[in-house]
Amino acid sequence: MQPGRKLFITGASSGIGQALAGHYAAQGALLGLAARRAEPLHQLATRWPGQISCYPLDVTDAAALRAAGEDFMGRFGVPDIVIANAGVSIGTLTEHAEDLAAIRQVMDTNFFGMAATFSPFIGGMRRAGHGRLVGIASVAGIRGLPGSEAYSASKAAVISYLESLRVELRASGIKVVTVCPGYIATPMTAGNPFPMPFLMPADSAAARFAQAIERGRSYVVVPWQMAVVAKVLRLLPNALYDRLLASAPHKPRRASHS
């Protein structure tokens, strides 16, 4: 990647987003970083002075995202890459009325927040005739996981949304990249009370994501072992899938953010 390229990344205060920010900053990129927590963003800006603009915001606030996008483009021009990474994972059970608010929060953050992230930049990318829109989805969006109704549904929505967007923008010069991580060592997975096969460090995952982004891959699962698992899951008939997952451990009913 050439120094001076421009990226806008959401969910950059920790986990995958922070690892991606560090990866690209180390290559000399100019970054617009958005997240709810300001202090981690400012720490990144201090580490790479002159390369990072900080935008403390919640991705469910479309007006704040548009203002951030316009500010970034006004200062640096249209970004080469926009990565919609912000996400929340909350164990939910629909039978509990109090979980309905959490279900809405997950959908608003993971799905609507992605659309709100891309929206300010598509017009400029169309005019420029190039750019990459990258959505961080999840293997959890391929088949529904017990106890994760909201998270699985939100990531399934993200996968379909990105596919629709990819087809819509096919002739514009804008590439849409769907990234489906497996288990990545982040604050989001730290509280999982069950084994996480093929767990990957966030820095290693960020490097793999960046390779796929540079190549303009339309769809990638990281790590490769989870790509094999994902293919098997797609092929399993419902009766067998249900039996296999019936006794699977549930994510605790509490919030954790990427």
Side-chain angles (χ1 to χ4, degrees), residues 64-198:
L65 266 171
R66 182 158 294 277
E70 290 175 353
D71 178 80
F72 183 82
M73 288 187 288
R75 298 171 63 186
F76 306 110
V78 177
D80 300 289
I81 302 170
V82 175
I83 304 178
N85 165 76
V88 60
S89 176
I90 305 175
T92 54
L93 293 174
T94 305
E95 65 190 90
H96 297 283
E98 61 270 25
D99 284 12
L100 292 177
I103 290 171
R104 175 172 288 176
Q105 178 190 354
V106 172
M107 292 301 295
D108 283 350
T109 301
N110 296 0
F111 171 57
F112 176 77
M114 183 173 290
T117 297
F118 292 154
S119 181
F121 300 106
I122 292 176
M125 285 184 169
R126 274 190 184 275
R127 289 187 290 274
H130 65 85
R132 282 168 167 73
L133 300 174
V134 182
I136 306 300
S138 172
V139 171
I142 295 170
R143 296 293 298 257
L145 300 178
S148 296
E149 299 106 323
Y151 186 70
S152 289
S154 71
K155 293 302 185 179
V158 159
I159 291 170
S160 292
Y161 163 72
L162 290 167
E163 185 168 58
S164 297
L165 194 62
R166 185 181 74 242
V167 177
E168 175 69 25
L169 297 175
R170 182 173 179 272
S172 69
I174 304 170
K175 292 186 179 295
V176 177
V177 180
T178 302
V179 178
C180 288
Y183 290 114
I184 310 299
T186 70
M188 180 180 282
T189 58
N192 287 347
F194 48 79
M196 292 178 282
F198 316 119

Side-chain angles (χ1 to χ4, degrees), residues 226-251:
M226 288 305 291
V228 175
V229 173
K231 289 179 180 178
V232 172
L233 290 177
R234 285 197 194 99
L235 296 173
L236 287 179
N238 288 347
L240 178 56
Y241 180 80
D242 293 353
R243 284 201 299 272
L244 289 174
L245 271 290
S247 59
H250 288 34
K251 190 174 185 70

